[in-house]
């Protein structure tokens, strides 16, 4: 259990740094694209980086979305596998609350978005934009403003975000796969089978895994499936239990290796090119009147909060799950507000769902950015207030103990 807690602490520290870098990258993008030098930003984002031999011709922005985010999803896959096998989600009783809360935090925003945006062009798949929680952003806010609330809050939020990521990954696979090239899909399946066999036979050479990872990414890209899913599947196929005499499992070693790369480079670069949204009085006016924007804003801010808190409350009241030790209802509500921070995956889904309508995609991304910032500010205020309450209780117990 001590080892598990240290793993959680390590993960939280890394994601906190990554969350801060993500915010910096997003701020730089917004300032850059709304400055007199906006043309240089657009020119850089649209610069083509082609690999003619592989018939790949993607822009810098597309490489960050399709390529670098595969590393982010690989780390998410490793984390999900570890949580399912040896972490908080391995215990059915402990896993019930974050799983149910995560499902509620996906279903309710989707229903709200569909209700508000019904009939609006792009909402056929755009309803998925407000269903994702950004784990790095949310944990960064929690670390900065929630240091005085019980540590079980961090465990709950992390577990919820991991399940939320899994659901978002499934939605990306289902919604954004059209015509599938069966031949390339079989190549990808062979790569994943090779990865699993290499793990089964305890092979550890990068000369095996790096080619398999790259080929699986390329095969999914050619098959018509979003290639970042290659990262998820490779992570899920990696062994998380160490063998006797083994200092740490392969999943742990790979997390140590790739998590700083994901948090410090891949996600910030994606944020830099995904967050460059021109802002003006007209854009802010559309955020308050356009049904697509309203579907995203209300879906994220109200839907995620009510979905997470409401489904968690019902699960606890029904006896299906139990509330984490030391965590009150108001603490859970504050954490639910943080669940409305839908940055990385929401921006990705906005680009995928509205790829054929640049103006709608830009408006959707502006809605995600503004709502995520609002949720972070509201969540911070609630966490600071709850932190003062918990600290006052600790001080009162300390005084009573001295007496």
């Amino acid at each position: 259990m001590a080892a598990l807690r240290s793993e959680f602490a390590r993960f939280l520290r890394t994601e906190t740094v990554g969350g801060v870098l993500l915010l910096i990258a997003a701020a730089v993008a917004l300032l850059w694209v709304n400055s007199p030098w906006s043309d240089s930003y657009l020119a850089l984002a649209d610069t083509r980086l082609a690999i003619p031999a592989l018939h790949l011709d993607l822009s810098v922005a597309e490489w960050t979305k399709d390529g670098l985010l595969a590393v982010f999803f690989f780390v998410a896959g490793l984390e999900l596998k570890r949580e399912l096998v040896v972490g908080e989600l391995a215990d059915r009783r402990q896993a019930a609350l974050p799983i149910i809360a995560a499902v509620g935090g996906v279903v309710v925003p989707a229903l709200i978005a569909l209700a508000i945006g019904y009939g609006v062009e792009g909402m056929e798949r755009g309803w998925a934009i407000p269903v994702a929680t950004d784990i790095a952003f949310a944990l960064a806010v929690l670390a900065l403003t929630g240091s005085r609330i019980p540590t079980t809050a961090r465990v709950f939020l992390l577990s919820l975000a991991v399940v939320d990521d899994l659901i978002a990954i499934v939605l990306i696979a289902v919604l954004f796969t059209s015509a599938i090239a069966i031949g390339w899909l079989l190549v990808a399946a062979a790569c994943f089978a090779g990865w699993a066999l290499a793990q089964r036979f305890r092979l550890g050479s990068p000369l095996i895994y790096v080619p398999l990872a790259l080929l699986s990414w390329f095969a999914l890209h050619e098959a018509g499936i979003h290639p970042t899913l290659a990262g998820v599947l490779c992570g899920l196929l990696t062994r998380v239990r160490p063998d006797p005499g083994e200092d740490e499992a392969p999943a742990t070693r790979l997390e140590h290796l790739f998590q700083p790369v994901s948090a410090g480079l891949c996600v910030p670069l994606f944020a830099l090119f995904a967050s460059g949204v021109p802002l003006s009085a007209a854009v802010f006016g559309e955020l308050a009147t356009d049904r697509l924007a309203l579907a995203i804003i209300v879906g994220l801010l109200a839907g995620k909060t009510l979905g997470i808190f409401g489904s968690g409350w019902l699960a606890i009241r029904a006896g299906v799950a139990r509330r984490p030790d030391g965590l009150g209802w108001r603490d859970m509500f504050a954490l639910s507000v943080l669940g409305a921070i839908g940055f990385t995956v929401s921006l990705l889904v906005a680009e995928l769902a509205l790829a054929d309508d640049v103006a709608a995609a830009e408006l959707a991304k502006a809605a995600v950015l503004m709502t995520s910032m609002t949720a972070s500010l509201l969540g911070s205020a609630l966490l600071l207030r709850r932190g003062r309450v918990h600290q006052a209780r600790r001080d009162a117990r300390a005084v009573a103990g001295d007496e």
Side-chain angles (χ1 to χ4, degrees), residues 5 32 35 59 77 95 104 116 121-122 128-129 132 135 180 191 234:
R5 284 196 295 269
W32 192 354
S35 74
S59 68
I116 295 175
E121 187 174 354
I129 297 171
I135 185 170
I180 297 178
C191 291
C234 288

Side-chain angles (χ1 to χ4, degrees), residues 112-133:
I112 290 176
L114 278 170
I116 295 175
Y118 182 76
V120 174
E121 187 174 354
M123 282 306 294
E124 299 86 358
R125 295 184 294 180
W127 58 264
I129 297 171
V131 305
T133 295

